Amino acid sequence: MIRDKLYGNHINVSDTHQVQEGSLAPFLNNLNEYSTCNYLYKEKRKGFFVSSSGVCNLQCPYCITNHPCENINLNKDDFSFIFRYFGENIYFVFPGIGDFFCGYPKKEQLLRFLLQHDVMISYLDINGVDIKELEYPDLEGKEKIDMINISYHYGTMKEFKLINRWVNSVKKIHENMYHYEIKMVVSPLERDIWDEAILFYRNEIQPITQQKLTLCPDTLFNLEIQYDELNRITHLYKDTVDMIKRENIFRGRRLFTTDTLPCPAGNRYFRILNDGDVVPCEMLADYNIRQGNLKRREVITFKQDINCSYTGFCDCGWATNLGVRVSNDQEEQWQRSNKYQKIRELPPFRETNNISMSIDRLEGDEKGLKIEGWALINGMSSEQSDIYIILKSDKKVYLLDVDKRRRPDVTAHFKTLNFDDSGFFIGIPKYSLDSGPYGIGIFIRNNKTDALQYTEKTITIK
């Protein structure tokens, strides 16, 4: 039992197997008897929350890292060691602790190297000033990038005369059909330029992206106070900005119960710091619980799940999320899909034929399919509606989540209700579908009303 300093919460690593003799364990304090240097889960899916770079080419006053480290970052050799030791079948998350692309020279092509492996980059957090391989439209494996979070640091970029460079990066990411979102930290330290930054986004960026800007609180200030201020500014610029969901702002709160849940941290979930240190999770990083260091090529891992009562405090979204946590004995099949590529096989729907829609773009090549357009239920506003693409063959019907796009032009055309939320885009790799011809339909769920209508367009998957 390792007792921490946080209100009596604990990590229980009892009931595990004896370590093999010769295991590299001195840096794990007293946990060596529960660990092994031989990795046991090479074939199973794994999650790596990786601070690949402590380096950033911006100096924002509200930076959570205060002063990013210089010249301490993970390189291609370090990631090669990850694949040799842990195997493939990996979810990577690259958070904004330093900028991913600032940690290596362009000629190293680190992103391209990662995409050559059996990985999914669930989240790639960048400031958008440097995008390196993302600028190439033919980047092989780019469908493995689930979500790109482009930070909008207006004040600092304006000071360093990097705004135009950032805008061009956004254009390239958009043109290359990535799934992305743009977020701005509305820090009280920059309150005097909030309006200027939002108006610049409205005039220069929103016409390109057709997306709202997501506002986030400054984690160094009181969250409750900021939530009220975010509500106010969101209402003031409701056509241009959205606020990050309240449950995301306040996630990471400790559970009031003392119950524990099994957690794969330390055997199938890891935090990798930019200096190479491997820790089982962020909550243990401050208590000198280390599992080795990539740069020294020394790693040991837990032999099975630990029992953890941090579950309400955890911010990883992997280890303690009941929707994705799986046991060692009943490993679920890894669905290689991202947010706008989720596929569910469903029985045929009955058409309601009460949808107005347009497929403005239908493209397909040997790797993927892209569909873009708008759709709405006749006589109903599109606010808060959910839109899905239906692909129907003679054997199967698939329901596909889409990436919502704002379409104020549709509202302006009909001049009746608000149809700004009627736009959609979807990109999907063809390997996710069975071969054959498919009819294309639209399914909309608006409050308690469901509607389905098929188009005249078809696509053939080879």
Side-chain angles (χ1 to χ4, degrees):
M1 185 81 69
I2 304 170
R3 296 208 174 271
D4 66 49
K5 304 173 184 178
L6 191 66
Y7 306 109
N9 281 346
H10 66 274
I11 300 294
N12 187 347
V13 291
S14 60
D15 302 323
T16 53
H17 302 290
Q18 189 70 25
V19 71
Q20 296 179 1
E21 185 176 356
S23 173
L24 298 172
F27 39 80
L28 231 165
N29 297 334
N30 296 322
L31 292 184
N32 56 316
E33 63 181 295
Y34 308 115
S35 326
T36 177
C37 59
N38 298 319
Y39 191 60
L40 305 176
Y41 306 108
K42 280 195 172 184
E43 302 303 320
K44 296 189 176 182
R45 66 173 178 175
K46 299 161 285 287
F48 288 79
F49 200 96
V50 185
S51 304
S52 62
S53 169
V55 186
C56 185
N57 48 19
L58 299 177
Q59 298 176 11
C60 301
Y62 46 83
C63 180
I64 61 174
T65 60
N66 194 9
H67 299 292
C69 304
E70 295 183 1
N71 301 320
I72 303 177
N73 54 276
L74 301 182
N75 55 41
K76 190 179 295 185
D77 290 338
D78 299 323
F79 282 99
S80 294
F81 176 74
I82 288 178
F83 292 122
R84 288 198 308 271
Y85 182 81
F86 293 98
E88 305 272 335
N89 197 353
I90 292 175
Y91 273 106
F92 281 116
V93 175
F94 294 102
I97 304 176
D99 187 85
F100 175 82
F101 292 113
C102 292
Y104 64 95
K106 187 174 183 178
K107 64 181 181 180
E108 187 172 315
Q109 300 283 287
L110 178 59
L111 178 61
R112 187 181 298 269
F113 170 76
L114 294 178
L115 295 177
Q116 291 170 354
H117 292 265
D118 181 15
V119 302
M120 181 67 75
I121 298 179
S122 300
Y123 204 75
L124 178 59
D125 198 335
I126 61 175
N127 64 36
V129 174
D130 286 325
I131 60 173
K132 291 188 168 70
E133 299 103 304
L134 290 182
E135 70 180 18
Y136 302 131
D138 58 345
L139 176 62
E140 186 175 355
K142 68 179 184 179
E143 70 278 359
K144 299 177 182 179
I145 303 175
D146 185 351
M147 170 65 77
I148 299 172
N149 174 46
I150 309 172
S151 300
Y152 179 47
H153 302 295
Y154 178 80
T156 306
M157 292 190 296
K158 180 181 178 182
E159 178 185 355
F160 292 164
K161 296 180 171 56
L162 294 171
I163 284 288
N164 290 337
R165 185 170 173 181
W166 183 86
V167 171
N168 288 331
S169 295
V170 171
K171 289 179 179 178
K172 290 179 181 178
I173 290 174
H174 179 78
E175 291 169 356
N176 292 339
M177 308 304 294
Y178 288 102
H179 187 212
Y180 67 93
E181 58 185 354
I182 301 177
K183 292 182 178 179
M184 170 184 166
V185 177
V186 282
S187 172
L189 298 174
E190 294 188 337
R191 181 62 186 89
D192 58 328
I193 63 169
W194 285 3
D195 299 85
E196 180 183 347
I198 292 172
L199 290 174
F200 180 87
Y201 184 89
R202 172 191 286 176
N203 296 329
E204 303 295 333
I205 308 301
Q206 197 170 14
I208 300 170
T209 66
Q210 296 297 312
Q211 295 184 25
K212 288 185 176 181
L213 173 67
T214 300
L215 303 182
C216 307
D218 185 340
T219 56
L220 301 180
F221 287 82
N222 182 282
L223 293 178
E224 289 286 356
I225 295 176
Q226 289 185 86
Y227 183 78
D228 294 335
E229 182 71 352
L230 285 172
N231 266 330
R232 190 193 67 77
I233 201 76
T234 302
H235 179 73
L236 180 63
Y237 296 103
K238 60 184 178 180
D239 294 332
T240 303
V241 302
D242 272 330
M243 180 174 62
I244 190 171
K245 293 182 179 179
R246 185 180 177 89
E247 56 266 29
N248 290 335
I249 295 178
F250 293 97
R251 84 192 249 190
R253 294 296 180 265
R254 183 173 59 90
L255 290 182
F256 291 102
T257 176
T258 59
D259 293 342
T260 62
L261 288 173
C263 172
N267 65 47
R268 288 174 295 125
Y269 173 84
F270 305 89
R271 293 282 180 128
I272 311 294
L273 308 184
N274 61 284
D275 60 2
D277 275 350
V278 181
V279 299
C281 78
E282 183 72 9
M283 297 307 301
L284 294 180
D286 293 333
Y287 300 110
N288 295 319
I289 306 300
R290 297 289 189 271
Q291 294 182 267
N293 185 282
L294 297 181
K295 293 187 177 297
R296 295 196 301 267
R297 307 297 186 251
E298 296 178 346
V299 178
I300 61 174
T301 58
F302 296 158
K303 290 189 174 184
Q304 66 180 52
D305 286 359
I306 58 178
N307 292 320
C308 180
S309 61
Y310 275 127
T311 51
F313 202 88
C314 181
D315 70 344
C316 67
W318 173 279
T320 56
N321 185 322
L322 294 177
V324 298
R325 196 186 70 243
V326 292
S327 69
N328 292 336
D329 297 328
Q330 295 179 331
E331 182 78 18
E332 295 177 352
Q333 182 181 3
W334 185 22
Q335 300 295 330
R336 303 190 57 79
S337 58
N338 63 31
K339 183 176 180 181
Y340 62 89
Q341 294 171 353
K342 292 178 181 176
I343 301 176
R344 282 170 281 177
E345 187 177 335
L346 297 174
F349 286 103
R350 178 174 296 178
E351 284 192 82
T352 58
N353 293 320
N354 58 341
I355 295 178
S356 295
M357 60 183 162
S358 172
I359 303 294
D360 302 329
R361 178 184 184 188
L362 177 60
E363 297 178 357
D365 55 28
E366 69 279 2
K367 294 182 179 179
L369 171 67
K370 302 179 181 71
I371 306 174
E372 186 171 11
W374 59 266
L376 56 93
I377 300 178
N378 295 334
M380 296 185 66
S381 166
S382 65
E383 293 180 281
Q384 307 302 318
S385 64
D386 294 319
I387 302 175
Y388 304 86
I389 290 292
I390 299 286
L391 293 183
K392 180 181 179 181
S393 70
D394 58 348
K395 296 180 180 179
K396 291 184 178 181
V397 178
Y398 291 105
L399 177 69
L400 293 79
D401 293 344
V402 302
D403 181 18
K404 295 290 289 293
R405 296 288 172 89
R406 286 183 57 77
R407 293 296 299 264
D409 58 313
V410 178
T411 300
H413 173 77
F414 285 100
K415 301 178 181 178
T416 53
L417 299 170
N418 184 352
F419 301 126
D420 287 4
D421 294 331
S422 63
F424 62 84
F425 166 78
I426 183 170
I428 182 168
K430 287 187 176 179
Y431 64 71
S432 300
L433 301 172
D434 289 344
S435 60
Y438 288 85
I440 300 175
I442 303 289
F443 176 73
I444 303 177
R445 175 161 289 164
N446 193 334
N447 197 5
K448 295 183 180 180
T449 301
D450 293 345
L452 169 67
Q453 187 168 319
Y454 283 95
T455 72
E456 297 179 352
K457 298 183 181 295
T458 61
I459 187 72
T460 299
I461 307 297
K462 296 182 180 181

